[in-house]
Amino acid sequence: VACAFRSAGDEAVAALAPPPMRTAGRRWTATLQACTIGPAKRAGLHVRGGAGVVLDRCVVERTGGPGVAVRQGGAVRLRGGCALRGCGGEGVVVSGARSEAWLAHTQVSACGGPCVDASGGAAVAVGPGVQLESGEEGGGGAWAWGSGTALSVTGPGTRVSAASTYALLSDGGAEVTVGDGGAIVQGGLRGAVAVEEGGLVCPPPPGRWVGPPPATGCFVWSGPDPLLAA
């Protein structure tokens, strides 16, 4: 409770489940409450190998890489008013089969990559009460890549905004859904984004596009970008 984690050389916090836990398919979980994570040279929090971490009322900031990285079957839950800001990479990046993330009552802003990025068969649920804010220089709202990847955005009180690139993106067969409950999406869409009854998508302001961020990290862009060709 109320701890501070920072690292000048690597990740600030790393969670890896012991081998017996990973083999048995059980989830080892740690909870951090009202903690500050960062600055860090790489990720603020890295969860992998079947471990689980709950962030409750925590702040992740000033990271060289992603704010939170979840890989190799790890899981993370952000709740209670968490804030991720000033991350050099994605706000939350989740990759690999059985890797999972849930965000509720959390704000992600001012990141170099998408606020939320899912790939490789990961599952991510965004909402309720989540604010994903990608500004003029931001890397996007919530993006998903690859067959088997699932990303859902639901309300109430959830808002995904992108001023200069895609608010929601589905590429390579990923499933992206805006559910009911009043979630608001402000910005462009790319790919097969399903909007259920009760979901709301607002058109982006015209003439402000600068295209996607560079193809680095977990980004796997396939096909020409119609916005850049326009």
Side-chain angles (χ1 to χ4, degrees):
V1 177
C3 294
F5 302 91
R6 54 182 64 92
S7 173
D10 210 316
E11 303 152 346
V13 180
L16 175 65
M21 289 286 195
R22 299 200 299 272
T23 303
R26 292 176 289 172
R27 179 88 64 194
W28 173 85
T29 303
T31 299
L32 302 179
Q33 294 181 318
C35 293
T36 300
I37 300 175
K41 184 176 182 179
R42 297 183 181 176
L45 168 66
H46 191 178
V47 184
R48 58 191 185 275
V53 174
V54 176
L55 297 184
D56 185 358
R57 297 166 288 143
C58 291
V59 174
V60 182
E61 59 185 356
R62 294 181 292 164
T63 62
V68 173
V70 184
R71 300 186 173 98
Q72 300 173 352
V76 69
R77 182 182 297 270
L78 291 85
R79 67 188 188 193
C82 287
L84 284 68
R85 56 200 180 211
C87 302
E90 304 91 337
V92 179
V93 58
V94 189
S95 60
R98 298 183 301 279
S99 296
E100 303 173 342
W102 301 267
L103 286 73
H105 305 289
T106 291
Q107 182 181 45
V108 184
S109 61
C111 294
C115 296
V116 172
D117 186 279
S119 65
V124 179
V126 176
V130 173
Q131 302 291 309
L132 306 182
E133 301 175 357
S134 175
E136 292 288 349
E137 303 300 326
W143 292 10
W145 314 84
S147 178
T149 303
L151 170 67
S152 64
V153 178
T154 59
T158 292
R159 177 174 171 268
V160 182
S161 64
S164 58
T165 184
Y166 301 106
L168 293 179
L169 177 145
S170 170
D171 192 51
E175 297 182 4
V176 178
T177 304
V178 181
D180 58 10
I184 297 175
V185 178
Q186 295 177 305
L189 309 181
R190 176 184 167 96
V193 177
V195 182
E196 298 179 353
E197 184 177 355
L200 177 62
V201 176
C202 304
R208 300 177 63 189
W209 298 100
V210 298
T216 58
C218 291
F219 301 123
V220 183
W221 197 264
S222 62
D225 182 356
L227 294 180
L228 297 181

